[in-house]
Amino acid sequence: QVHLVETGGGLVQAGGSLRLSCVASGRTFSSYAVAWFRQAPGKARESVAGINSIGTRTYYTDSVKGRFTMPRDNAKNTVYLQMNSLRPEDTAVYYCAAGLSAGLSAQYNYWGQGTQVTVSS
């Protein structure tokens, strides 16, 4: 069982940066791949970024490549989403999720409660 808590959301102007954190409970966190998803009002949830369990491979959806990075620190049971050059279309609730397979299309079994990111124009 993995319990995930996201923090770091907020309001930022276009072009600005935010760093989201996803802190996990459980001693086996380093066994799990993690992904960030987002859901904007009236839109389907989409995967944004993913990382494998040991942090050696990352995945990004095209719209965030070159702007977002996703490091993880297994010693701290934490995964981050560093978001730079934010755009109004990045506005959404962001969720982290954990699962046994990595990738943007993988299945994730454990989910956090989400954190709101709002980018003003």
Side-chain angles (χ1 to χ4, degrees), residues 8-12 18 20 83 86 90-94 115-119:
L11 173 65
V12 63
L18 278 176
L20 306 183
M83 306 185 292
L86 283 161
D90 295 317
T91 295
V93 178
Y94 283 71
T115 186
Q116 176 71 48
V117 172
T118 303
V119 184

Side-chain angles (χ1 to χ4, degrees), residues 38 63-64 67-68 85-92 94 117 119:
R38 66 186 180 187
S63 63
V64 307
R67 301 189 298 124
F68 290 11
S85 301
L86 283 161
R87 305 167 180 169
E89 53 264 39
D90 295 317
T91 295
Y94 283 71
V117 172
V119 184

Side-chain angles (χ1 to χ4, degrees), residues 1-120:
Q1 188 80 13
V2 178
H3 181 62
L4 304 171
V5 178
E6 305 97 332
T7 59
L11 173 65
V12 63
Q13 289 187 334
S17 298
L18 278 176
R19 187 178 79 161
L20 306 183
S21 299
C22 174
V23 180
S25 63
R27 292 176 291 177
T28 59
F29 176 67
S30 59
S31 299
Y32 289 89
V34 181
W36 286 96
F37 291 76
R38 66 186 180 187
Q39 187 165 22
K43 295 188 177 181
R45 185 177 63 195
E46 63 169 339
S47 55
V48 174
I51 191 166
N52 64 354
S53 61
I54 56 175
T56 56
R57 183 163 182 182
T58 52
Y59 310 81
Y60 301 97
T61 194
D62 286 346
S63 63
V64 307
K65 284 180 181 176
R67 301 189 298 124
F68 290 11
T69 58
M70 183 180 175
R72 73 184 291 167
D73 186 342
N74 283 341
K76 296 182 179 180
N77 276 12
T78 302
V79 172
Y80 306 93
L81 185 66
Q82 177 66 46
M83 306 185 292
N84 300 325
S85 301
L86 283 161
R87 305 167 180 169
E89 53 264 39
D90 295 317
T91 295
V93 178
Y94 283 71
Y95 302 88
C96 66
L100 295 179
S101 298
L104 298 181
S105 301
Q107 181 176 353
Y108 293 90
N109 303 110
Y110 304 103
W111 293 80
Q113 83 290 347
T115 186
Q116 176 71 48
V117 172
T118 303
V119 184
S120 63

